């Protein structure tokens, strides 16, 4: 016999449905059970408040869906109010020996009456479940989905729609969606960008999993090795039918996940599938001006893939550090910069500044530029003039001198040390670093003139774990900065890593991360928040606390033979990661932080780090807990209590 416990706390239940007031309720396959199912079925179909319907559904599932289970299970539920939301909290418990904790638990939230949203957040414990237990958990969500299918829900009224975080949803741009250069962005139908959210873009390479450019050739390594080239070498190429055109008397052969049929002497129709090989190309004879564009995008004016734009739509600030190949950059003169018209944007020189501006315009985002550490005055001035003349006038512009100058592994650190003639972190080192910052900021301010105070954000990027760096650098900037920017990473320490073994689980690693967030990160954020407040008082104007990079920092540092390497990778999609992101963002914001700039958008997990918040461009959002936490945070920041978890199997949201 299967026994279910249902605890109904919603107002009015005991009066209208007296049977619900008795807990626990033991039921079997008898007449009473059938009567109870009909009673609760009537409740679901005829309505009442949403919590009654949800609790009724849970009970119906318990009676109808698990009668065949070989292992006794029970569920409990209670209705509570959190702000303007009514929330039903439930759990599924197995009565199998040794099951002391629920095998699954979660919440079903119903929003205000004027904008009802239905959200299920459910978590399955990291344990081995029996087939019947797993079936109980999965059928619970499956039954909810079936009972709330679109045909059973009211039609959404015309006008702007809302997503799960309460922002207008963005429609897929039409083929002729234009980049807004020299103009304000067209934000109609796009999500309101939350000013707390920023994103670093991964570098553009031929092995990237980001679908950046409409013309795939911009992400190729053509033609480096005797007329051969590759695109999306690690797989996950954008599938579909493409038109390839070129100039010259030669021809192009395709391989890997691409098959070509010639359509003329200088053109071919190419079929690309999503496989593991990517796109291989080779040339015979003279070939130039190659283009490879999806047939449906032939008339598209935007240089960017719509899928790429959609995943960046929620973010207010876009940081172009890796697009500019800032670390170890050799850029010094304007004539040597990356050009818009070059064969590919996937080489060591980085992406052309024109594309950074075009992307910011199309997204309606604020760009964050990292100026190469060797850049001369002309380079800095011409860069600023290009941005002033082409970026939409409502945008703020974040300016940072290089990236992580404090970090001894980068050439920019060695460059400043050489300029200073002093040792690392000597007074002379900080003098030289601050002078380069002030020089860069001053040129940008001259170019922007009267708009400089309104539009420029001069970023003093410092070291999270060492607030002393900020204390040494900031006084030397002589008040010429607007934001203090440490990172906002969390992870495990080297000492903790040395104690891990092959038996270490992803949950073990994330447990250490949570400990470090609550103890170390909280203190670092508070310390830098106080530094920002102190400088606000000294200068008589706001000095903001922002992060230049943020998120998890679990890396094998190139060693995939670490005994716990597999656990590091599994941690990226573990249910607990979602809650750790929320906790980390909340602590930064409580310290006074007002920008969380995640690192980075799209990349594959691996031995050099698992930086991507999505692993490939079209990864389903329900499979990406890190990205999901970013876009969820603005709507749940005030209710979050530090315990939320997430699972890709048992997470579902829909507006109706």
């Amino acid at each position: 016999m299967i026994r279910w416990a249902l605890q109904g706390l919603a107002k009015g239940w005991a009066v209208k449905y007296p049977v619900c007031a008795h807990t626990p309720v033991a039921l079997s396959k008898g007449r009473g059970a059938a009567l109870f199912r009909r009673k609760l079925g009537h409740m679901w179909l005829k309505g009442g408040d949403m919590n009654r319907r949800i609790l009724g559904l849970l009970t119906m599932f318990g009676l109808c869906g698990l009668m065949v289970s070989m292992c006794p299970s029970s569920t409990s539920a209670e209705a509570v109010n959190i702000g303007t939301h009514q929330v039903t909290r439930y759990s599924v418990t197995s009565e199998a020996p040794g099951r002391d904790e629920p095998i699954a638990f979660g919440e079903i939230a119903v929003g205000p009456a004027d904008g009802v949203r239905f959200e299920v957040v459910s978590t399955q414990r990291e344990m081995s479940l029996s087939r019947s237990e797993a079936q109980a958990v999965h059928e619970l969500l499956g039954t909810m989905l079936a009972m709330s299918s679109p045909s059973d829900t009211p039609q959404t009224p015309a006008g702007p729609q809302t997503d799960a975080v309460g922002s207008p949803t963005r429609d897929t741009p039409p083929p002729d969606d234009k980049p807004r250069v020299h103009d304000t962005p067209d934000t109609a139908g796009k999500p309101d960008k939350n000013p707390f959210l920023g994103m670093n873009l991964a570098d553009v390479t031929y092995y990237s999993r980001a679908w950046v450019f409409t013309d795939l050739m911009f992400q190729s390594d053509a033609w480096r090795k005797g007329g051969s080239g590759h695109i999306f070498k690690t797989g996950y190429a954008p599938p579909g039918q493409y038109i390839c055109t070129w100039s010259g008397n030669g021809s192009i052969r395709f391989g890997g996940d691409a098959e070509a049929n010639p359509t003329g002497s200088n053109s071919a129709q190419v079929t690309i599938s999503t496989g593991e090989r990517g796109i291989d190309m080779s040339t015979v004879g003279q070939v130039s001006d190659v283009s490879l564009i999806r047939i449906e995008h032939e008339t598209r004016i935007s240089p960017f893939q719509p899928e790429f734009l959609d995943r960046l739509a929620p973010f207010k600030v876009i940081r172009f550090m890796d697009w500019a190949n800032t670390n170890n950059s050799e850029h010094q003169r304007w004539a040597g910069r990356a050009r818009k018209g070059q064969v590919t944007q996937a080489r060591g020189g980085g992406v052309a500044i024109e594309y950074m501006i075009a992307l910011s315009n199309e997204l309606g985002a604020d760009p964050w530029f990292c100026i190469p550490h060797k850049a001369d005055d002309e380079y800095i001035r011409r860069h600023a003039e290009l941005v002033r003349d082409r970026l939409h006038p409502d945008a703020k512009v974040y300016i940072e001198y290089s990236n992580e100058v404090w970090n001894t592994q980068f050439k920019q650190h060695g460059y400043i040390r050489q300029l200073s003639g002093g040792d690392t972190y000597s007074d002379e080192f900080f003098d030289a670093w601050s002078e380069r910052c002030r020089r860069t900021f001053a040129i940008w301010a001259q170019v922007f003139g009267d708009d400089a105070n309104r539009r420029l954000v001069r970023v003093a990027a410092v070291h999270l774990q060492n607030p002393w760096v900020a204390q040494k650098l900031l006084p030397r900037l002589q008040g010429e900065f607007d934001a203090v920017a440490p990172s906002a990473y969390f992870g495990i320490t080297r000492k903790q890593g040395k104690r891990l073994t092959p038996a270490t689980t992803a949950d073990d690693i994330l447990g250490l991360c949570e400990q470090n967030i609550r103890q170390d990160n909280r203190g670092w954020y508070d310390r830098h928040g106080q530094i920002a407040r102190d400088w606000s008082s000294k200068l008589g104007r706001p000095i903001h606390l922002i992060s230049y990079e943020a998120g998890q920092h679990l890396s094998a540092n190139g060693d995939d033979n670490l005994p716990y390497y597999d656990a590091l990778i599994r941690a990226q999609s573990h249910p607990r990661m979602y809650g750790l992101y929320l906790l980390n963002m909340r602590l930064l914001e409580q310290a006074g932080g007002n920008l969380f700039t995640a690192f980075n958008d799209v990349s594959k997990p691996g031995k050099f780090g698992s930086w991507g918040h999505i692993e490939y461009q079209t990864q389903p959002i329900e499979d990406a807990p890190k990205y999901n936490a970013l876009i969820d945070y603005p709507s749940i920041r005030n209710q979050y209590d530090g315990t939320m978890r997430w699972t890709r199997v048992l997470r579902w949201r829909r507006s109706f």
Side-chain angles (χ1 to χ4, degrees):
M1 181 180 71
I2 299 176
R3 186 176 63 191
W4 289 85
L6 178 68
Q7 186 178 13
L9 300 182
K11 184 177 180 181
W13 273 50
V15 176
K16 190 169 184 179
Y17 300 101
V19 68
C20 297
H22 303 289
T23 56
V25 179
L27 297 166
S28 64
K29 294 184 179 179
R31 182 171 177 271
L35 177 63
F36 195 55
R37 287 197 302 273
R38 287 198 300 271
K39 193 75 170 177
L40 289 172
H42 174 79
M43 183 199 316
W44 174 263
L45 295 174
K46 297 300 182 182
D49 77 21
M50 187 64 70
N51 270 337
R52 291 203 305 271
R53 296 169 66 188
I54 294 169
L55 288 170
L57 176 58
L58 286 169
T59 307
M60 277 196 297
F61 172 72
L63 294 169
C64 303
L66 292 182
M67 289 296 181
V68 298
S69 175
M70 299 301 294
C71 177
S73 300
S74 64
T75 187
S76 64
E78 62 176 357
V80 298
N81 290 324
I82 298 180
T84 59
H85 286 67
Q86 294 176 323
V87 178
T88 300
R89 292 173 173 162
Y90 67 89
S91 65
V92 180
T93 303
S94 171
E95 295 184 3
R99 296 295 198 212
D100 298 327
E101 295 182 335
I103 59 175
F105 58 92
E107 297 180 346
I108 307 171
V110 182
D114 59 349
V116 175
R117 292 188 299 276
F118 183 81
E119 179 174 6
V120 176
V121 181
S122 182
T123 298
Q124 181 174 306
R125 295 282 190 184
E126 190 180 73
M127 58 176 66
S128 297
L129 303 184
S130 68
R131 178 174 296 183
S132 59
E133 289 172 337
Q135 181 181 354
V137 174
H138 285 263
E139 286 189 6
L140 173 61
L141 269 292
T143 303
M144 289 179 177
L145 290 171
M147 293 297 292
S148 298
S149 61
S151 61
D152 295 331
T153 58
Q155 294 295 315
T156 304
Q161 306 302 304
T162 57
D163 62 13
V165 299
S167 301
T169 57
R170 175 183 175 169
D171 296 325
T172 301
D176 60 348
D177 193 17
K178 300 179 180 180
R180 299 288 171 168
V181 181
H182 293 94
D183 198 1
T184 54
D186 181 4
T187 57
K190 299 179 183 179
D192 290 338
K193 297 181 183 302
N194 190 283
F196 185 71
L197 297 179
M199 178 60 77
N200 280 268
L201 299 187
D203 51 345
V204 176
T205 68
Y206 71 92
Y207 49 84
S208 171
R209 289 187 172 189
W211 300 354
V212 179
F213 291 105
T214 301
D215 189 341
L216 299 193
M217 290 303 299
F218 286 171
Q219 286 182 250
S220 73
D221 66 344
W223 305 98
R224 285 187 172 180
K225 300 177 180 179
S228 66
H230 308 279
I231 319 175
F232 302 104
K233 188 60 178 176
T234 59
Y236 292 93
Q241 299 295 316
Y242 286 73
I243 292 294
C244 182
T245 60
W246 61 89
S247 300
N249 58 9
S251 60
I252 300 178
R253 297 173 181 172
F254 285 85
D257 295 322
E259 296 182 1
N261 292 312
T263 56
S265 59
N266 293 87
S267 64
Q269 182 168 325
V270 182
T271 301
I272 297 176
S273 59
T274 299
E276 298 296 328
R277 297 175 294 173
I279 304 167
D280 298 330
M281 301 173 293
S282 61
T283 62
V284 178
Q286 295 297 317
V287 168
S288 62
D289 303 323
V290 182
S291 175
L292 183 60
I293 298 176
R294 269 193 272 189
I295 290 177
E296 62 267 32
H297 291 168
E298 279 191 279
T299 59
R300 181 176 174 82
I301 297 176
S302 171
F304 306 109
Q305 295 269 7
E307 296 89 346
F308 178 69
L309 296 173
D310 287 343
R311 292 298 170 90
L312 292 176
F315 301 98
K316 178 60 175 173
V317 175
I318 302 297
R319 187 169 181 256
F320 292 105
M321 185 270 290
D322 271 341
W323 266 32
N325 278 7
T326 303
N327 292 326
N328 309 317
S329 173
E330 294 298 327
H331 285 309
Q332 182 176 1
R333 301 186 184 281
W334 185 246
R337 74 192 186 281
R339 302 298 185 100
K340 186 177 180 181
Q342 61 196 32
V343 175
T344 176
Q345 298 291 312
R347 289 186 178 167
V351 176
I353 298 168
E354 289 88 344
Y355 285 124
M356 302 180 197
I357 297 170
L359 179 63
S360 301
N361 286 337
E362 191 153 358
L363 290 171
D366 296 337
W368 182 325
F369 297 108
C370 296
I371 308 304
H373 62 278
K374 291 184 178 181
D376 62 18
D377 288 359
E378 182 193 12
Y379 185 107
I380 299 171
R381 181 172 291 105
R382 296 285 293 274
H383 189 170
E385 289 171 346
L386 189 64
V387 173
R388 178 198 62 193
D389 295 342
R390 298 196 181 188
L391 183 67
H392 67 89
D394 293 331
K396 289 188 177 296
V397 184
Y398 291 74
I399 303 302
E400 177 187 359
Y401 173 70
S402 192
N403 172 67
E404 291 189 358
V405 174
W406 52 265
N407 193 333
T408 58
Q409 71 175 319
F410 294 136
K411 289 183 178 180
Q412 51 263 37
H413 175 91
Y415 176 78
I416 292 297
R417 188 176 60 189
Q418 183 179 9
L419 280 181
S420 71
D423 296 329
T424 295
Y425 300 150
S426 64
D427 286 344
E428 293 81 6
F429 177 88
F430 283 103
D431 289 342
W433 180 8
S434 62
E435 189 279 328
R436 294 290 291 185
C437 291
R438 286 187 284 109
R439 171 171 157 265
T440 299
F441 297 156
I443 293 173
W444 277 76
Q446 290 169 5
V447 169
F448 273 72
D450 293 341
D451 281 341
N453 289 338
R454 178 179 68 88
R455 298 191 64 190
L456 296 184
V457 181
R458 300 165 295 177
V459 178
V462 294
H463 191 186
L464 174 66
Q465 290 89 345
N466 191 355
W468 175 82
V469 171
Q471 294 170 341
K472 296 288 285 186
L473 175 67
L474 298 182
R476 289 172 164 82
L477 293 178
Q478 302 174 10
E480 299 301 317
F481 66 99
D482 305 297
V484 179
S487 68
Y489 282 123
F490 65 86
I492 60 175
T493 67
R494 292 181 181 178
K495 184 177 180 179
Q496 289 169 334
K498 290 179 180 179
R499 295 197 296 264
L500 302 183
T501 71
T504 297
T505 66
D507 195 59
D508 294 334
I509 289 174
L510 295 175
L512 293 174
C513 288
E514 180 170 358
Q515 171 187 317
N516 295 340
I517 292 171
R518 294 186 181 278
Q519 296 177 4
D520 298 335
N521 285 56
R522 184 196 298 270
W524 293 328
Y525 299 156
D526 289 345
R527 185 71 188 96
H528 283 94
Q530 187 59 54
I531 290 172
R533 289 189 292 273
D534 290 345
W535 277 99
S536 296
S537 298
K538 290 179 183 179
L539 300 176
R541 58 184 175 84
I543 297 297
H544 301 287
L545 174 64
I546 64 178
S547 69
Y548 66 87
E549 294 172 14
Q552 61 77 39
H553 200 289
L554 297 173
S555 174
N557 297 316
D559 184 4
D560 54 5
N561 292 315
L562 284 176
Y564 55 93
Y565 176 75
D566 290 343
L568 283 179
I569 301 301
R570 288 195 299 272
Q572 302 302 316
S573 57
H574 189 281
R576 198 169 181 177
M577 182 65 80
Y578 177 87
L580 295 186
Y581 259 73
L582 298 179
L583 174 62
N584 190 41
M585 286 186 279
R586 188 61 174 153
L587 292 180
L588 177 66
E589 190 173 32
Q590 288 176 342
N594 49 31
L595 178 62
F596 187 92
T597 314
F599 185 91
N600 56 34
D601 60 333
V602 186
S603 60
K604 176 185 177 181
K607 63 183 180 180
F608 294 107
S610 300
W611 309 112
H613 285 72
I614 50 177
E615 297 180 9
Y616 55 95
Q617 189 64 69
T618 55
Q619 183 181 22
I621 299 302
E622 59 269 21
D623 293 345
K626 295 182 290 186
Y627 184 92
N628 226 319
L630 294 176
I631 62 176
D632 279 0
Y633 179 74
S635 68
I636 62 176
R637 52 158 56 98
N638 294 327
Q639 285 80 35
Y640 177 63
D641 62 1
T643 62
M644 282 189 179
R645 289 163 65 95
W646 176 94
T647 173
R648 67 178 181 85
V649 177
L650 299 178
R651 184 176 178 81
W652 174 71
R653 297 187 301 189
R654 188 182 74 244
S655 300
F656 68 93

